[in-house]
Amino acid sequence: MHYFTPEGRAVLDGLAGLWCSNAGHNRDSIVAAISRQAAELDYAPAFHFAHPKAFALAGRVAALSPGDLNRVFFCNSGSEAVDTALKIALAYHHVRGEGGRTRLIGRERGYHGVGFGGISVGGIVNNRKFFGTLLAGVDHLPATYSREHQAFTKGEPEWGGHLADELERIVALHGASTIAAVIVEPMAGSTGVLPPPKGYLQRLRAICDRHGILLIFDEVITGFGRLGHAFAAERYGVTPDLLCFAKGINSGAVPMGGVLVDERLYDAFMQGPEHVIELFHGYTYSAHPLACAAALAALDLYRDEDLFARAKRLEPLFADAAMTLKGLPGVLDIRTVGLSAGIDLAPRPNAAGERGYEAMDRAFYDEDLVIRVTGDTLAVAPPLIVSEAQIDEIFDKVARVIRAVA
Ligand code: PXG
């Protein structure tokens, strides 16, 4: 649960690294698995060849996933997972003779990494505005957040399910036959922890089904226990056609990402003769042996320590602890879901982001605590092994910091 500075100061990790170290840091079994793997097989190509742990891991990930999400494409980050999912969606329509379906629909305030696909469907303005025209033919759903209707909600807000119906407006505007896929984070993490309004994801699913549009869940943050389930898809009872994962797959120990796809999509590609390449896409380090070994060890830990259920059990206590910050100076809103919390601070006049930055700085230097800041929004998302006492410790420290930056 701690980092140690070169001077030996212990710093509590309130962010699971960067939303990834779900089993905590330097876990013995993961360390040993990586080390054994480096000695046994350091690298093997994923083009035309494969190694056994790639298949073992694909099977383990598929077993954790809902519905027919049974096929896995491995890559090395969340950004690559998103670009991979978008490309599979486009190519799927192409191989089925619906090549006119080229539009991709994202969401305002969405974060899907920093590749050109991800920033195009993403909705974080600063991640987009410096980088030219991005992908053509992208449209965006509105963000699901309204402080007026949702402030200080624990879990999924009552208000906002109807915002999914904006997809019908986009379909009416462009025509369903031009739209390939919709991509959303079930819970928008980077932008400050926005849980989905009740019914929202179910409505998106229904509209996609009605119009033959693929639904992609970006579970790079929500996957592997953050919301108390293997995937948020399970928490919400909504199965996407493609699901992006990364981060928690191996507790952040070795770079890895991947895309789970529905059997139906896989089969659409796998029609040709053996020597023909089905999908012209892949990475040198897809299913890297070290990443696979780390992931198998991490998934064992999640299972043996029942860490997803632990996150679920701790959720009410975590939410209560976060809400103790309500009423502190400058606290405009607090949102919680699973083991994650977003805390909006009032920006200082003419200095947006300054208060938030100072809060992060003081947390680290004065309170020995790592938290995340974006603008004036703080995020807390500890490893799933966090103790009840450490949850209180984290929010006591954050409370002192918020008072200090008032
Ligand atoms: N999708 C989602 C939903 C993410 O949260 C990515 C894709 C990209 O993953 P890579 O591995 O390419 O970074 C992410 C990454 C933050 C923060 O401020 C969040 C992420 C990365 C860096 C900072 O909360 N998430």
Side-chain angles (χ1 to χ4, degrees):
M1 280 298 300
H2 293 85
Y3 290 109
F4 296 88
T5 67
E7 306 79 46
R9 195 159 59 88
V11 181
L12 185 58
D13 185 3
L15 192 63
L18 198 52
W19 311 85
C20 54
S21 308
N22 291 359
H25 297 278
N26 293 76
R27 298 297 307 268
D28 289 342
S29 60
I30 299 178
V31 173
I34 296 169
S35 147
R36 265 198 316 272
Q37 188 60 43
E40 182 188 295
L41 175 72
D42 54 352
Y43 177 81
F47 282 50
H48 286 134
F49 296 90
H51 62 94
K53 286 198 177 73
F55 291 102
L57 179 58
R60 292 285 296 276
V61 174
L64 288 173
S65 74
D68 293 329
L69 293 169
N70 292 330
R71 303 290 179 164
V72 183
F73 194 108
F74 286 113
C75 53
N76 311 286
S77 69
S79 299
E80 288 183 358
V82 167
D83 281 13
T84 297
L86 297 175
K87 287 177 72 176
I88 291 175
L90 292 170
Y92 167 72
H93 290 302
H94 189 93
V95 298
R96 289 165 53 253
E98 282 200 70
R101 289 189 180 264
T102 55
R103 287 186 185 282
L104 301 168
I105 312 298
R107 193 167 61 189
E108 292 163 6
R109 296 190 68 168
Y111 185 70
H112 300 290
V114 291
F116 272 107
I119 61 174
S120 299
V121 293
I124 309 266
V125 179
N126 282 327
N127 285 3
R128 297 163 53 87
K129 71 180 183 189
F130 301 97
F131 306 109
T133 52
L134 311 182
L135 287 187
V138 170
D139 210 338
H140 289 77
L141 289 160
T144 60
Y145 179 64
S146 162
R147 185 170 296 151
E148 183 192 346
H149 292 102
Q150 299 170 345
F152 299 103
T153 302
K154 291 178 192 167
E156 295 74 18
E158 296 290 337
W159 184 92
H162 65 283
L163 293 170
D165 299 342
E166 287 292 307
L167 183 55
E168 282 288 10
R169 186 184 57 76
I170 291 174
V171 169
L173 176 66
H174 298 295
S177 66
T178 71
I179 302 177
V182 172
I183 181 167
V184 292
E185 304 156 88
M187 176 275 276
S190 264
T191 189
V193 181
L194 310 180
K198 287 195 178 134
Y200 177 88
L201 295 172
Q202 288 81 350
R203 281 160 93 151
L204 272 192
R205 178 71 274 183
I207 297 169
C208 285
D209 285 345
R210 199 144 60 230
H211 297 292
I213 299 167
L214 295 172
L215 180 61
I216 306 171
F217 276 0
D218 182 348
E219 296 229 27
V220 166
I221 278 181
T222 54
F224 305 103
R226 181 58 47 198
L227 300 196
H229 294 266
F231 294 107
E234 181 183 307
R235 176 173 173 126
Y236 297 114
V238 177
T239 305
D241 303 296
L242 302 96
L243 187 157
C244 304
F245 63 85
K247 294 189 187 270
I249 175 72
N250 57 26
S251 198
V254 182
M256 179 171 237
V259 181
L260 267 157
V261 303
D262 190 286
E263 237 5 275
R264 196 174 34 111
L265 271 71
Y266 177 83
D267 289 341
F269 285 98
M270 304 306 280
Q271 298 300 326
E274 182 72 14
H275 70 280
V276 173
I277 292 165
E278 303 85 10
L279 176 69
F280 285 86
H281 179 77
Y283 302 93
T284 300
Y285 300 118
S286 281
H288 193 282
L290 264 55
C292 290
L296 289 166
L299 296 186
D300 283 349
L301 268 183
Y302 295 151
R303 180 196 58 209
D304 296 345
E305 299 183 354
D306 212 6
L307 290 181
F308 306 160
R310 177 185 173 77
K312 196 186 181 85
R313 183 170 57 74
L314 289 174
E315 176 169 349
L317 186 142
F318 181 87
D320 287 347
M323 288 297 169
T324 60
L325 306 175
K326 187 177 176 182
L328 291 183
V331 173
L332 299 180
D333 188 20
I334 301 167
R335 299 166 294 277
T336 61
V337 62
L339 287 187
S340 44
I343 302 138
D344 292 344
L345 300 180
R348 291 183 180 145
N350 303 318
E354 187 189 76
R355 188 195 297 255
Y357 183 82
E358 198 180 310
M360 178 195 67
D361 228 31
R362 281 180 181 265
F364 183 78
Y365 287 107
D366 300 347
E367 298 290 345
D368 297 328
L369 173 70
V370 171
I371 53 171
R372 173 79 183 142
V373 65
T374 25
D376 289 293
T377 298
L378 312 181
V380 175
L384 312 180
I385 58 166
V386 66
S387 70
E388 298 186 14
Q390 283 165 333
I391 290 174
D392 288 338
E393 184 185 342
I394 290 170
F395 287 107
D396 286 348
K397 286 171 183 283
V398 174
R400 282 197 293 277
V401 162
I402 290 175
R403 284 197 196 90
V405 299

